[in-house]
Amino acid sequence: MIGYQFMGKAHSHAYRDLPFYFDPKLKPVLKVVSGRNESAVSEAAEKMGWESYELDWRKVIERDDIDVVDIVTPNHTHAEIAIAAAEAGKHIITEKPLALTLDEARQMYEAVKKNKVKHMICHNYRFAPAVQVAKKLIEDGRIGKIYHFRANYLQDFIMDPEFPLVWRLKKEVSGSGSLGDIGAHSIDLARFLVGEFDEVVGTMETFIKERPIGEMAGGLSAKSDKSTLGEVTVDDAVTFIARFESGTLGTFEATRFAGGNRNKNKFEINGEKGSIRWDMENMNNLEVYIADDEPGLQGFRLINCTEEVHPYAGAYWPPGHIIGYEHTFIHLIYEFFNGIADNQQPAPNFEDGVKNQQVLTAIEESSKSKRWVKVSDF
Ligand SMILES: NC(=O)c1ccc[n+]([C@@H]2O[C@H](COP(=O)([O-])OP(=O)(O)OC[C@H]3O[C@@H](n4cnc5c(N)ncnc54)[C@H](O)[C@@H]3O)[C@@H](O)[C@H]2O)c1
């Protein structure tokens, strides 16, 4: 694993707990974690259960005892590490967004195809049992033709103007701001549940243009000495609407300036036969409205997706004994390891990462040109 902070913790936990709850066809062995700061990476290795550490990620990729490389570093590093790992024949998991630019994303996808390795991108929210139930309801035709997909991804962790200029706020490191960081998750959920985007029109805004220089300090917290200011070069918020190839209309908002919303990743789907709602902050529950319910008893019903019949949920606890954020990563890694064992390419993968990045690029272009943009133009 390259990197060891916020996502490093989520992924390490997933590798450790995977064989505890599930019976994957292959079991992870936590061989080596890489980081540039020796005292910090050795402490992380010890705490998170990795056998060893390396200061240079290239050494990890050169090692013969490594089969899988997991990339949990900032976005500008994904392409170089993933392409080197693919050329060394390693299977790859990388965090989202796939890359800094669409060009880089395409090069990564070419590299994994050419070297015939398995690949995944960490759009972990697909793997909440309730989201999997939503997918099944749609596939079974229970919602019918989908008219609307409505998603908000709302956070508030950078609202304080003193929150420092961390990597997430620099275009050359992160590619974009709220758009690629959290909007990319809504785009993935939309592609998973509704299908491919056709065209988009959107607008992006940076509310706070300068911030004190600083760095991330675990989770979504940060530290700074507050002495020097630097320019914010990404969006703080984005709003866009979309047409899908299926004819569905999409409305989207991704912002880190929605005070009081810590990680409100939610969507609502309205179809000819019913509606579905999900909200990450109540991630075990799915709200479902079925239009042919008896008159007088119609309305959204609340399904607690913790039963044996709900995807992944049966591996944990009795019904009603809920699971959390970290479990979505276990499910993703379960699919990855089984994919390697069965020689099947799991999803979401680098192809999904490229398609996601096409939508991100089209939205940025639309925000600049102030017009509708076809996703297939990129
Ligand atoms: N799936 C999700 O829900 C989710 C959530 C948060 C972050 N992410 C993604 O995960 C990735 C990492 O984000 P994070 O929040 O863990 O970041 P972080 O700042 O918490 O951790 C980044 C790690 O990368 C290391 N690092 C930074 N620059 C490096 C470089 N040039 N070379 C080698 N190592 C370097 C840091 O030392 C640290 O260990 C990003 O791509 C981000 O978009 C995904």
Side-chain angles (χ1 to χ4, degrees):
M1 185 173 77
I2 320 294
Y4 53 86
Q5 218 161 202
F6 179 18
M7 281 306 103
K9 185 173 172 182
H11 291 212
S12 299
H13 168 268
Y15 292 124
R16 291 177 61 160
D17 263 17
L18 172 64
F20 186 91
Y21 290 108
F22 292 86
D23 293 309
K25 293 175 185 166
L26 292 171
K27 287 188 186 168
V29 183
L30 281 71
K31 296 301 280 185
V32 53
V33 59
S34 169
R36 298 158 302 168
N37 175 322
E38 182 153 18
S39 69
V41 72
S42 65
E43 194 183 312
E46 171 73 24
K47 182 160 188 195
M48 301 198 293
W50 294 84
E51 283 178 16
S52 59
Y53 65 85
E54 293 278 9
L55 296 180
D56 181 353
W57 60 262
R58 289 172 190 83
K59 297 242 170 68
V60 174
I61 284 162
E62 282 163 13
R63 277 172 58 162
D64 292 336
D65 61 342
I66 302 299
D67 301 310
V68 170
V69 172
D70 184 344
I71 305 167
V72 286
T73 46
N75 311 342
H76 69 314
T77 62
H78 294 182
E80 188 185 6
I81 301 171
I83 291 167
E87 281 167 0
K90 316 293 186 194
H91 305 296
I92 308 166
I93 293 194
T94 186
E95 264 301 344
K96 44 49 59 179
L98 190 56
L100 205 57
T101 63
L102 182 55
D103 270 359
E104 276 187 3
R106 288 204 165 108
Q107 287 168 32
M108 291 165 76
Y109 183 38
E110 286 308 312
V112 290
K113 277 196 291 186
K114 185 172 133 224
N115 292 287
K116 299 188 170 47
V117 296
K118 301 289 179 273
H119 43 99
M120 257 184 125
I121 180 169
C122 271
H123 283 298
N124 54 301
Y125 295 110
R126 282 190 187 199
F127 296 93
V131 174
Q132 296 277 325
V133 174
K135 171 84 172 162
K136 177 134 195 349
L137 287 169
I138 294 166
E139 280 180 351
D140 290 350
R142 301 292 293 271
I143 305 302
K145 181 177 168 50
I146 296 176
Y147 298 128
H148 290 290
F149 182 87
R150 196 172 296 112
N152 311 109
Y153 201 142
L154 313 177
Q155 296 184 334
D156 63 356
F157 72 100
I158 64 168
M159 283 185 78
D160 181 351
E162 296 283 294
F163 186 93
L165 185 68
V166 297
W167 70 260
R168 284 184 156 79
L169 302 176
K170 297 180 193 166
K171 191 167 177 63
E172 71 277 16
V173 185
S174 66
S176 62
S178 286
L179 175 64
D181 198 26
I182 51 179
H185 278 306
S186 299
I187 292 167
D188 184 68
L189 287 171
R191 289 190 55 254
F192 182 53
L193 296 167
V194 177
E196 297 304 339
F197 285 72
D198 179 17
E199 53 184 346
V200 292
V201 62
T203 188
M204 298 158 78
E205 185 54 63
T206 306
F207 300 118
I208 294 182
K209 317 271 189 218
E210 283 192 327
R211 292 175 179 273
I213 308 281
E215 51 187 62
M216 298 301 296
L220 292 177
S221 62
K223 55 181 190 244
S224 162
D225 66 8
K226 299 191 167 71
S227 54
T228 327
L229 289 182
E231 190 193 353
V232 176
T233 46
V234 298
D235 54 292
D236 286 333
V238 56
T239 307
F240 65 98
I241 57 177
R243 288 184 171 278
F244 289 83
E245 287 176 358
S246 60
T248 300
L249 284 185
T251 36
F252 295 79
E253 188 183 16
T255 175
R256 298 153 166 167
F257 275 72
N261 293 281
R262 306 305 199 209
N263 193 41
K264 187 142 296 274
N265 171 11
K266 58 180 186 171
F267 65 77
E268 177 166 324
I269 292 169
N270 309 119
E272 60 180 336
K273 296 185 190 168
S275 296
I276 299 175
R277 284 184 197 151
W278 182 74
D279 170 2
M280 174 58 201
E281 289 184 356
N282 290 298
M283 62 165 277
N284 288 270
N285 293 333
L286 193 68
E287 288 186 86
V288 180
Y289 161 74
I290 301 287
D292 64 5
D293 275 352
E294 194 182 325
L297 287 178
Q298 289 193 350
F300 278 92
R301 57 180 90 158
L302 189 68
I303 302 164
N304 190 243
C305 299
T306 53
E307 314 259 343
E308 187 82 38
V309 292
H310 297 132
Y312 306 113
Y316 295 99
W317 314 112
H321 296 64
I322 58 176
I323 60 166
Y325 173 65
E326 67 274 33
H327 299 95
T328 59
F329 294 91
I330 300 180
H331 307 160
L332 186 147
I333 282 165
Y334 174 71
E335 298 301 340
F336 188 61
F337 277 72
N338 282 351
I340 295 170
D342 294 338
N343 195 22
Q344 297 287 329
Q345 176 53 58
N349 51 47
F350 284 18
E351 184 180 8
D352 295 290
V354 168
K355 288 184 172 162
N356 196 305
Q357 204 111 20
Q358 267 181 296
V359 181
L360 298 177
T361 308
I363 295 162
E364 280 197 90
E365 174 55 31
S366 166
S367 178
K368 275 188 221 139
S369 63
K370 300 187 190 298
R371 62 177 176 86
W372 279 92
V373 172
K374 281 260 182 212
V375 172
S376 58
D377 284 352
F378 294 92

